[in-house]
Amino acid sequence: MRLVFMGSPDFAVPALRSLVNAGQEIVAVYCQPPRPAGRGQSLQPCPVQRVAEELGLPVHYPARLRGNAEALAAFQALDADAAVVAAYGLILPRAWLEAPKRGCINIHASLLPRWRGAAPIHAAILAGDAETGVTIMQMDEGLDTGPMLMEGRVAIGPRTRLPEVHDALAAIGADLILKVLETNPAPVPQPDSGSTYAPRLSRGDAKIDWSKPAAAIERQIRAFDPWPGTFTTMGADQLKVLDAELADGQGEPGTVLDGALTIACGEGALRITRLQRAGRAPAAAADFLRGFAVPPGTKLSA
């Protein structure tokens, strides 16, 4: 089958490798353009571009699709049977969706219609969902609104962190897309109710609001690992909170309650177990406190 692959981050890499290993003909790979990164701000390719070049596949990275007649003509000329899309990063206009014979098939990291949008894995953990999954979807012009073709599920435990869910879903998506291409299942419309939206995250989402319940903050720490992370401030110091556990205690939100870094929240308390001071290495709370005094009564803030 002649396929175009469209994806950018690490999440999309297993699907690309799976398609190549299965003997599918990848006639082109589309991804986000290289971005400045690192201390020197040199241009760095996205994970999909690196892997595609390693595999000897032709790579395209138009900065925009809408109104880009030249890029559309090149895409149409590929005469693809289908386009497989996995976290590409650009919205596909109607003409792009209709160019491949079987249209564009999306690997979406949620159990649709729950968590449409850009950050579905983060949102599922943050909300305390007991499970999430991957939906293979026939794309339409809406935001993750197309009919469903196949799904796979994974449980979210009380201590599950984003990296393990991300990797599990990437593997499930890589397996399901092969089955969908082989069996061509009948599309099933998404339910009319029950949809939720997971907006794109920013560094501003990393701030801890100590007026929230302790359980919600603990989920935030697990959901935002490693990006955008979670942090709080203590005086002039910014502290990145890497891990924490629910604890007994109450008080004014953001107040340190004891010598073990138990912090009062809007409801309950949270004991920080691992953290990082700006410019320093990550440390267990006990090690951190040996070199940096945080007496009870200290106030933390966003």
Side-chain angles (χ1 to χ4, degrees):
M1 188 176 296
R2 289 176 60 82
L3 299 176
V4 174
F5 187 85
M6 310 179 84
S8 298
D10 287 317
F11 176 80
V13 168
L16 175 58
R17 290 193 182 277
S18 179
L19 292 167
V20 171
N21 291 339
Q24 298 288 353
E25 181 185 4
I26 309 299
V27 295
V29 172
Y30 281 72
C31 60
Q32 289 287 294
R35 309 286 190 197
R39 291 185 177 181
Q41 289 294 284
S42 59
L43 291 177
Q44 299 293 324
C46 68
V48 164
Q49 181 180 345
R50 289 197 299 268
V51 172
E53 291 176 345
E54 167 197 318
L55 295 171
L57 301 173
V59 179
H60 306 270
Y61 39 81
R64 61 181 177 84
L65 302 184
R66 194 170 300 280
N68 191 338
E70 182 180 353
L72 174 60
F75 183 71
Q76 292 170 328
L78 294 170
D79 192 31
D81 294 307
V84 173
V85 184
Y88 175 39
L90 292 178
I91 294 175
L92 302 184
R94 176 188 290 270
W96 288 72
L97 294 170
E98 295 177 345
K101 297 179 182 66
R102 286 177 56 178
C104 298
I105 302 171
N106 183 237
I107 304 171
H108 182 74
S110 84
L111 298 172
L112 291 171
R114 186 152 176 81
W115 303 126
R116 297 169 176 167
I121 306 176
H122 302 78
I125 298 173
L126 188 63
D129 291 357
E131 68 173 355
T132 187
V134 168
T135 303
I136 309 297
M137 174 192 69
Q138 188 76 45
M139 296 180 70
D140 61 15
E141 289 188 273
L143 180 61
D144 301 323
T145 56
M148 303 176 293
L149 302 172
M150 196 172 289
E151 70 174 26
R153 296 171 178 259
V154 65
I156 301 177
R159 294 293 292 161
T160 301
R161 304 179 76 87
L162 186 138
E164 67 180 281
V165 180
H166 172 281
D167 292 352
L169 296 185
I172 291 171
D175 179 58
L176 291 183
I177 191 61
L178 294 181
K179 295 178 180 178
V180 166
L181 292 173
E182 179 182 356
T183 63
N184 196 21
V188 177
Q190 293 187 35
D192 294 330
S193 61
S195 66
T196 48
Y197 179 65
R200 189 177 303 277
L201 298 172
S202 70
R203 273 291 291 160
D205 296 302
K207 298 176 182 179
I208 294 177
D209 179 357
W210 293 106
S211 68
K212 291 184 176 180
I217 299 172
E218 190 273 338
R219 291 196 301 269
Q220 177 187 1
I221 294 166
R222 292 187 287 114
F224 291 0
D225 167 33
W227 193 90
T230 48
F231 72 88
T232 187
T233 56
M234 182 173 58
D237 290 289
Q238 186 177 105
L239 304 177
K240 187 173 184 179
V241 180
L242 303 174
D243 205 359
E245 59 188 16
L246 300 179
D248 294 327
Q250 59 183 0
E252 185 179 351
T255 302
V256 178
L257 299 177
D258 57 23
L261 274 185
T262 301
I263 316 299
C265 304
E267 181 182 311
L270 199 67
R271 180 171 296 115
I272 298 174
T273 57
R274 192 165 176 265
L275 69 165
Q276 183 177 8
R277 190 180 174 194
R280 305 294 180 89
D287 297 330
F288 176 87
L289 291 170
R290 278 194 282 270
F292 193 82
V294 184
T298 301
K299 286 297 298 292
L300 305 181
S301 66

